[in-house]
Amino acid sequence: MALPGRRRANTFSIINILYLLFLLFSPSAEAVSAVLGIDIGTEYIKGVLVKPGIPLDIVLTKDSKRKEAAAIAFKPNVDTEEKDQLAQRLYGGDALAIQPRYPTEVYPNLKPLLGSVLDTRDDEQSYRQRYPSLDLIRDREGFLGFRGKAFDQEQPPVTIEELLAMELSNIKQNAKAMAGTMGILKAVITVPAYYTVDEKRAVELAADMAGLSVMSLISDGLSVGLHYATSRSFPNIDKGEKPEHHLVYDMGAGSTTATVLRVQARAVKDVGKFNKTVQEVSAIGNGWDRTLGGDSLNDIIMNDMIEKFLDSKEAKSKDVQAESIRGHGRTMAKLWKEAERLRQVLSANSATSANFEGLYDDVDFKYKLSRADFEALASSYFERVAVPLKIALANANLEMKDLDSIVLHGGVVRTPSVQKTLETLVGDPAKLRGNVNADEAAAFGAAYKAAGLSPSFRVKDIKSYDAANYQAAFTWSPKDKPRQQTIFVPTSSTGTVKQMPFNVSENFELDISQQIFQAGSDKLLDRPIWNVKITNLTDTVATLIQKHGCEKDSIKTTLSMKLDPMTGLPGVSGGASACEIDTSDKKGGVMDGVKGLFGLGGDKEQKPLDDKVDQSSSSEGSSKSTTSPSSATSTASSRSSASSSSSAKNTSEPAKSTKKTYRIPLAIESIRTDQRQPSKNDVSRMKDRLSAFDKSDKQRVQREEAFNSLEAFTYRTRDLLSDEAIVAVSTAQQREPLEKQLEKVGEWLHSDEEGGGATAGIELIKEKHKGLKSLLDPITKRKEEVANRQAALEQMEQSFNRTQALIDSVRDQVKQAAEAASLSASRAAESSSLTETPAGKESDATPDSSAEGAEDATESKFSASSDTTSSSSAPTTTEAPSASPSSPFSEADIAELHSFRATAMKWLQEKKQSQDALPPHEDPVLTSDDIKKRTQELNDAVAELIMKQMNKEETASKSKAKGGKTKAKTSVTKSSKSSPSSSSSASLSSPSLASTGTDSADSSGHSEL
């Protein structure tokens, strides 16, 4: 409550200002920037951009395609004079185009190799068989990498994460071209549901090296479901409605996944007392087949082509072996490319064929395949189509009849045999839905999640929850006895938190791992994630015992285990040690007895004063304090009696049981223990290699721009030499050196020899360009002068006319000012002949004395009589005539401006005569720049004269205002010099005169002011 007589401060406005300042300077107040959703596929990589003012937009490649092939190539350099020039990087279709020519330098379909661990998968062996030309190796630290001619052989091999970082950086650069000046630093990236901790952290490492901050990882199926939910509404479970269940069946180039989604709406608390309805999309079951996809079907076709080729007469005559073909990089690249094309054609046609010229050892080969034959070859693969779907339903505890629809995603779902298998499995073809873009839905879902996580955008509130997909456990060793306990199961939702109790009183540590099945067996393998150390538990237990009186056995320690909603990985989010003690009141103690003896009461009776006591009670208490001593004694005795009775009563009552909990947070240190954790030196080395390639690519682009500019200049110059305007201002002798140099440069540009344009550095290219330009510029300058000179002459002529008009105007003004000055002087002479009129003659009016005036005159008659003489002798001044107007200009100003104009006209006349005498092929003596410079000088002289007038007028205005104030001040001073006695005398002798004189002075003062 505010103190009486004081105004309450406007705390509301202050709080608002502080809140706004907090929002402005807090780290969460980020600048508006664009975000990305990236879908990393085995065959293609796609991106979707979100920026303010524009909805979700697919990121186009440099060729305006909506998806980029997931491939990168390093084209060997031709001999060049540029220093530090590395191999040229090519992406997407450009990379695949050179694969038959450079099979050892093209790296496609890297996704299966991310986070590869020897004891979990056989992806490495499959990749080697598919691309035999690539030198895939694994270093001693377990990282997969490639050796190639494009890389320094003395350095470690380039890792899969580095290559993926280059592809992500390419997507980022394409998005920047669409986003304009906005920065792109954050992204949400899709990953398959089967990705382990090693693969997820490999993706995060690649994104970090590409300069992207991963806002979240999202599974492919959940991302498709999120995109599916953006344009739909679902049942509200708060109204008793049942949620919907949809299954996303995603069959891509490298793998197949099935994700069961529970989609529903619910009411959640909003701002204040209001609620809002949100949509929820949760992954409740997943199933997958890592090797079932388009690539496995391509393998079937490619193997059939090899067998048919080996059975051909030409191949048998040359004794071609299967090992020779599978080990030949160029042959395998050709076969793989055609196998993929044939599979795609068979999705819409019943038969197709392929022709190879000189496939191997100069043997031509023709291959034919029908859809029926293909389905027979791949029958065992099509039997695996239903397996992921059944596993997902089993994990979600659902049956096929519980599904509302099956959403198809991925390019391979277009294969007729795949659709037939799914229709047979489902039983109702109407449940198979193709109402999402099979290629782009995952990328759009990731972009939508990125927009929802970014503070720069406001989107429809859709909550999404992924599944753990793998079992998680922690291992620790209490009393040197290793123990392992499961934390989460595969169907646990991200964001779930579990409180795990620990009966321990000293510092300890534990290891959190992800449990996956070993390839080809049911054995669980622990993939390490975190090593968690509790560093202050010993001190915490001691504090609870010594300071708060806790029993050691009653202290409970718990850790909060959480599935990270951003990565889906388990970890420790917090922890605390706590105990509960009994704080029951103990009555009848010694101190309570002493306090009762003196009338102070026990501890419970000594309550603090209530701040809400009103003024009336305070006044009453004040008045009571002034009573007699006897009254005070009576009051004290009554208090003592009351205290004694209260003490007795408390002794007889049982103590109240109250408990209090003391809780101390734990200090937790989490250290990564996964195998995909490179050292700081390794990360720095990899980033330096990426920066070197970025710098090399930038230099190459600059050289290509300089080369193209020089080439375009030569073509344009050849066309100019035949232009009539150029011929008119040049002679054949002047054009001949330029023509010869153009011919030499043209031959040099397309020369592959040493020192030719194909291998020249950027500095030499610029030097050639500069030499040609120096020969052409004098001719083009003469051509430009012909057109520009006439326009400049017209502007100068207009300036001459304006200057002359100003001179005439100023001359008239000076003349008028001289005439006005002469007239003012004659008036001043006439006014000086007038005489001054004494003030005493104006006081002959009839005296009209009053009682008040007589009284004043009587009291100060001596002073009045002494001041009368001086007052009557003061003369009355006559106002002088006003000053005559004067001109700020003089005859000297007119003469100066006239001389400046005449000089400029003379210069122009002389230059024009010289220019007219020159032939058109000579360099001009009168240029448009010289004319513009002279014109500007003349304009500056005119402007200076005008400013002179403005400055004089401003000075005169200030002087007049200052003089008026001084005159008014002088008038007031003269009036104030009349003493009270003189005023009384004047009023006594002539009241009407005194009144007239005062009014006259006031009138004069106001008129001056």
Side-chain angles (χ1 to χ4, degrees):
M1 181 175 179
L3 294 175
R6 293 188 180 183
R7 180 174 297 176
R8 185 183 299 272
N10 190 3
T11 57
F12 179 76
S13 61
I14 296 175
I15 292 175
N16 284 346
I17 293 173
L18 293 176
Y19 179 69
L20 292 176
L21 290 175
F22 170 77
L23 291 180
L24 182 62
F25 294 104
S26 64
S28 61
E30 300 176 355
V32 177
S33 60
V35 294
L36 274 176
I38 300 177
D39 178 24
I40 301 176
T42 303
E43 186 177 7
Y44 292 100
I45 181 169
K46 297 168 282 290
V48 173
L49 174 69
V50 187
K51 70 175 183 178
I54 294 180
L56 308 180
D57 196 5
I58 197 76
V59 177
L60 301 178
T61 68
K62 68 175 185 178
D63 299 326
S64 299
K65 296 180 180 179
R66 298 179 67 87
K67 58 184 179 180
E68 187 87 89
I72 182 172
F74 297 85
K75 185 178 180 181
N77 266 333
V78 295
D79 294 334
T80 177
E81 297 177 7
E82 292 291 339
K83 295 181 180 180
D84 301 329
Q85 190 73 57
L86 302 178
Q88 180 181 4
R89 291 184 297 184
L90 300 175
Y91 299 95
D94 294 339
L96 295 178
I98 68 171
Q99 188 175 21
R101 185 179 178 186
Y102 302 103
T104 61
E105 306 300 331
V106 181
Y107 306 92
N109 301 9
L110 299 172
K111 184 178 179 180
L113 299 178
L114 278 173
S116 178
V117 182
L118 287 174
D119 51 3
T120 58
R121 305 199 310 270
D122 57 356
D123 300 301
E124 180 181 345
Q125 187 64 26
S126 299
Y127 197 88
R128 291 180 187 275
Q129 295 176 357
R130 199 168 292 164
Y131 306 103
S133 297
L134 297 178
D135 188 9
L136 178 63
I137 62 174
R138 185 183 293 274
D139 60 17
R140 57 187 178 183
E141 296 180 356
F143 286 91
L144 276 178
F146 293 98
R147 288 283 187 188
K149 297 178 181 179
F151 313 113
D152 189 352
Q153 301 301 313
E154 297 180 358
Q155 288 191 357
V158 61
T159 62
I160 310 299
E161 290 81 1
E162 288 180 79
L163 297 176
L164 179 60
M166 294 179 186
E167 295 182 11
L168 292 176
S169 180
N170 179 53
I171 292 290
K172 178 182 174 183
Q173 295 303 321
N174 292 338
K176 276 187 174 182
M178 299 174 59
T181 57
M182 288 188 180
I184 302 176
L185 301 175
K186 296 185 178 182
V188 170
I189 302 176
T190 65
V191 294
Y194 55 77
Y195 258 22
T196 63
V197 56
D198 301 302
E199 293 158 306
K200 288 183 177 180
R201 286 182 170 168
V203 172
E204 291 179 322
L205 175 60
D208 176 67
M209 289 191 291
L212 288 171
S213 174
V214 179
M215 305 172 73
S216 175
L217 298 177
I218 183 172
S219 66
D220 296 326
L222 181 61
S223 184
V224 174
L226 185 59
H227 177 63
Y228 181 79
T230 54
S231 58
R232 294 169 176 82
S233 297
F234 298 97
N236 193 325
I237 60 175
D238 292 330
K239 298 180 180 179
E241 300 172 347
K242 293 184 178 180
E244 294 182 5
H245 293 93
H246 302 270
L247 186 142
V248 176
Y249 190 85
D250 184 4
M251 192 173 188
S255 61
T256 300
T257 60
T259 304
V260 179
L261 301 175
R262 181 180 63 236
V263 190
Q264 62 190 16
R266 71 163 65 240
V268 298
K269 186 174 178 58
D270 199 6
V271 179
K273 299 181 180 180
F274 301 97
N275 293 334
K276 66 177 181 179
T277 301
V278 299
Q279 309 285 335
E280 290 183 346
V281 182
S282 304
I284 60 175
N286 286 281
W288 57 78
D289 188 332
R290 279 180 172 270
T291 59
L292 178 62
D295 287 351
S296 59
L297 298 178
N298 295 344
D299 278 334
I300 295 174
I301 299 176
M302 186 175 66
N303 292 332
D304 187 60
M305 286 192 293
I306 293 175
E307 291 180 5
K308 296 283 182 66
F309 176 75
L310 294 175
D311 291 339
S312 65
K313 294 181 180 180
E314 293 81 359
K316 288 182 177 180
S317 64
K318 294 190 176 184
D319 193 21
V320 179
Q321 301 297 320
E323 293 77 10
S324 301
I325 295 177
R326 295 185 183 279
H328 195 265
R330 293 186 180 181
T331 301
M332 292 296 290
K334 293 178 182 179
L335 291 174
W336 179 265
K337 184 177 181 181
E338 281 301 306
E340 184 175 7
R341 185 187 67 83
L342 293 176
R343 177 182 61 81
Q344 294 174 352
V345 171
L346 289 176
S347 297
N349 298 275
S350 59
T352 184
S353 63
N355 294 316
F356 299 92
E357 293 183 2
L359 177 61
Y360 182 79
D361 201 7
D362 294 331
V363 176
D364 297 339
F365 176 60
K366 186 175 183 179
Y367 177 76
K368 293 182 179 181
L369 182 65
S370 65
R371 181 187 293 178
D373 293 338
F374 170 65
E375 291 176 353
L377 291 171
S379 59
S380 61
Y381 285 83
F382 293 138
E383 292 175 358
R384 296 162 52 186
V385 169
V387 176
L389 191 150
K390 293 179 180 179
I391 295 176
L393 287 175
N395 289 334
N397 294 323
L398 296 176
E399 297 180 358
M400 190 68 66
K401 62 181 181 179
D402 298 324
L403 294 178
D404 293 277
S405 70
I406 297 178
V407 181
L408 301 179
H409 186 262
V412 189
V413 295
R414 302 185 181 97
T415 305
S417 297
V418 174
Q419 294 186 354
K420 289 179 182 179
T421 304
L422 291 175
E423 290 175 0
T424 303
L425 179 64
V426 174
D428 183 7
K431 280 190 175 182
L432 297 179
R433 304 277 179 86
N435 47 6
V436 298
N437 189 315
D439 293 325
E440 301 174 354
F444 276 99
Y448 191 90
K449 185 173 182 67
L453 294 175
S454 173
S456 303
F457 306 96
R458 178 177 295 178
V459 296
K460 179 182 177 182
D461 198 353
I462 302 178
K463 307 295 183 182
S464 58
Y465 304 96
D466 233 321
N469 299 319
Y470 289 103
Q471 185 170 290
F474 70 88
T475 304
W476 66 309
S477 301
K479 299 180 181 180
D480 297 330
K481 295 180 180 180
R483 294 178 56 187
Q484 188 177 70
Q485 185 172 348
T486 301
I487 316 171
F488 301 105
V489 296
T491 56
S492 299
S493 296
T494 55
T496 302
V497 179
K498 286 189 176 181
Q499 302 296 330
M500 307 299 295
F502 290 84
N503 187 16
V504 62
S505 59
E506 296 180 351
N507 296 343
F508 70 100
E509 62 182 75
L510 53 89
D511 295 309
I512 299 177
S513 60
Q514 192 178 59
Q515 296 180 326
I516 62 178
F517 288 101
Q518 186 176 7
S521 69
D522 295 334
K523 182 181 178 181
L524 281 175
L525 297 177
D526 289 333
R527 306 309 308 164
I529 303 176
W530 299 105
N531 173 255
V532 182
K533 295 181 179 180
I534 314 302
T535 58
N536 69 333
L537 180 58
T538 303
D539 296 337
T540 298
V541 171
T543 301
L544 290 174
I545 295 174
Q546 298 173 7
K547 184 176 181 180
H548 302 295
C550 299
E551 296 292 339
K552 185 176 181 180
D553 294 338
S554 66
I555 298 175
K556 298 179 181 179
T557 299
T558 58
L559 293 181
S560 299
M561 305 286 189
K562 183 178 182 180
L563 268 181
D564 188 359
M566 298 299 123
T567 62
L569 299 177
V572 178
S573 60
S577 291
C579 69
E580 189 177 70
I581 63 174
D582 189 358
T583 59
S584 302
D585 296 332
K586 297 180 181 180
K587 306 298 181 178
V590 177
M591 290 303 299
D592 288 343
V594 174
K595 293 177 182 178
L597 179 63
F598 288 97
L600 299 177
D603 291 337
K604 292 297 182 181
E605 296 178 11
Q606 296 185 22
K607 298 182 180 179
L609 294 177
D610 192 355
D611 293 337
K612 297 183 179 181
V613 178
D614 56 15
Q615 292 182 355
S616 61
S617 62
S618 301
S619 302
E620 183 180 357
S622 178
S623 62
K624 287 182 179 179
S625 64
T626 59
T627 56
S628 62
S630 60
S631 176
T633 305
S634 175
T635 303
S637 62
S638 63
R639 288 179 181 176
S640 176
S641 174
S643 175
S644 300
S645 61
S646 175
S647 184
K649 183 177 180 180
N650 291 337
T651 305
S652 62
E653 290 181 356
K656 295 182 180 179
S657 177
T658 59
K659 295 183 178 181
K660 187 173 183 180
T661 301
Y662 293 96
R663 180 184 179 89
I664 300 178
L666 297 177
I668 300 173
E669 181 182 355
S670 297
I671 303 173
R672 282 181 53 177
T673 54
D674 57 288
Q675 291 187 355
R676 309 309 299 170
Q677 183 185 6
S679 64
K680 292 183 179 180
N681 292 334
D682 290 336
V683 173
S684 177
R685 173 182 52 78
M686 289 188 286
K687 288 185 176 181
D688 290 343
R689 179 151 51 187
L690 294 179
S691 298
F693 272 101
D694 291 340
K695 182 180 178 181
S696 177
D697 288 346
K698 185 177 180 180
Q699 291 177 349
R700 181 179 291 103
V701 170
Q702 292 175 346
R703 182 195 175 279
E704 290 176 355
E705 291 177 351
F707 186 90
N708 295 335
S709 177
L710 176 57
E711 189 176 28
F713 184 81
T714 57
Y715 295 145
R716 188 170 59 252
T717 304
R718 287 193 182 98
D719 295 337
L720 283 176
L721 291 178
S722 60
D723 188 5
E724 294 181 358
I726 292 292
V727 173
V729 295
S730 63
T731 62
Q733 291 78 8
Q734 292 174 334
R735 295 190 297 271
E736 183 179 359
L738 180 58
E739 292 172 349
K740 290 182 179 180
Q741 189 65 20
L742 282 173
E743 184 177 354
K744 290 181 181 180
V745 172
E747 294 176 355
W748 175 83
L749 279 173
H750 302 91
S751 175
D752 295 332
E753 298 178 358
E754 184 178 357
T759 60
I762 186 173
E763 297 299 330
L764 182 56
I765 295 174
K766 289 182 177 180
E767 183 180 347
K768 295 285 186 181
H769 194 166
K770 185 178 179 181
L772 286 177
K773 201 170 182 299
S774 64
L775 295 175
L776 179 63
D777 282 350
I779 301 176
T780 55
K781 185 175 181 181
R782 290 196 293 269
K783 174 190 172 183
E784 294 170 357
E785 282 296 330
V786 173
N788 296 339
R789 189 185 302 117
Q790 185 60 35
L793 288 173
E794 293 177 358
Q795 292 180 0
M796 192 171 193
E797 189 66 29
Q798 294 175 3
S799 181
F800 285 153
N801 297 335
R802 288 194 299 267
T803 305
Q804 184 60 45
L806 179 62
I807 292 173
D808 295 340
S809 176
V810 170
R811 186 178 286 112
D812 294 341
Q813 186 178 358
V814 171
K815 182 178 179 181
Q816 293 175 5
E819 294 176 354
S822 176
L823 180 60
S824 178
S826 62
R827 289 181 178 177
E830 293 177 358
S831 61
S832 62
S833 60
L834 298 178
T835 58
E836 296 181 352
T837 304
K841 294 184 179 181
E842 296 179 2
S843 60
D844 292 337
T846 304
D848 187 11
S849 61
S850 61
E852 183 179 355
E855 183 179 358
D856 293 339
T858 305
E859 292 176 357
S860 56
K861 58 182 179 179
F862 296 104
S863 59
S865 60
S866 61
D867 290 341
T868 302
T869 306
S870 59
S871 175
S872 61
S873 63
T876 302
T877 58
T878 304
E879 184 179 359
S882 60
S884 61
S886 61
S887 173
F889 304 114
S890 62
E891 291 292 343
D893 295 333
I894 299 174
E896 182 181 358
L897 187 58
H898 185 273
S899 175
F900 204 94
R901 177 177 178 274
T903 302
M905 293 182 67
K906 181 180 179 181
W907 172 85
L908 180 61
Q909 184 178 5
E910 294 175 353
K911 288 292 184 179
K912 284 183 67 176
Q913 291 177 357
S914 300
Q915 180 62 41
D916 294 340
L918 286 177
H921 61 269
E922 295 289 342
D923 291 337
V925 294
L926 178 61
T927 64
S928 58
D929 291 339
D930 294 339
I931 298 174
K932 291 178 181 179
K933 181 179 179 181
R934 284 283 184 168
T935 303
Q936 185 62 40
E937 291 175 354
L938 185 59
N939 293 337
D940 292 344
V942 173
E944 183 179 357
L945 189 63
I946 295 175
M947 288 299 299
K948 183 178 181 180
Q949 176 186 7
M950 294 175 64
N951 293 336
K952 286 186 176 181
E953 289 179 353
E954 184 178 0
T955 303
S957 177
K958 290 181 179 179
S959 299
K960 185 176 181 181
K962 185 176 180 181
K965 291 181 181 180
T966 304
K967 191 170 183 179
K969 184 176 181 181
T970 304
S971 176
V972 174
T973 304
K974 289 181 179 180
S975 300
S976 62
K977 285 184 179 180
S978 300
S979 63
S981 58
S982 63
S983 300
S984 301
S985 176
S987 61
L988 179 62
S989 59
S990 180
S992 60
L993 177 61
S995 177
T996 303
T998 303
D999 292 341
S1000 176
D1002 291 342
S1003 176
S1004 174
H1006 282 297
S1007 64
E1008 284 294 329
L1009 292 174

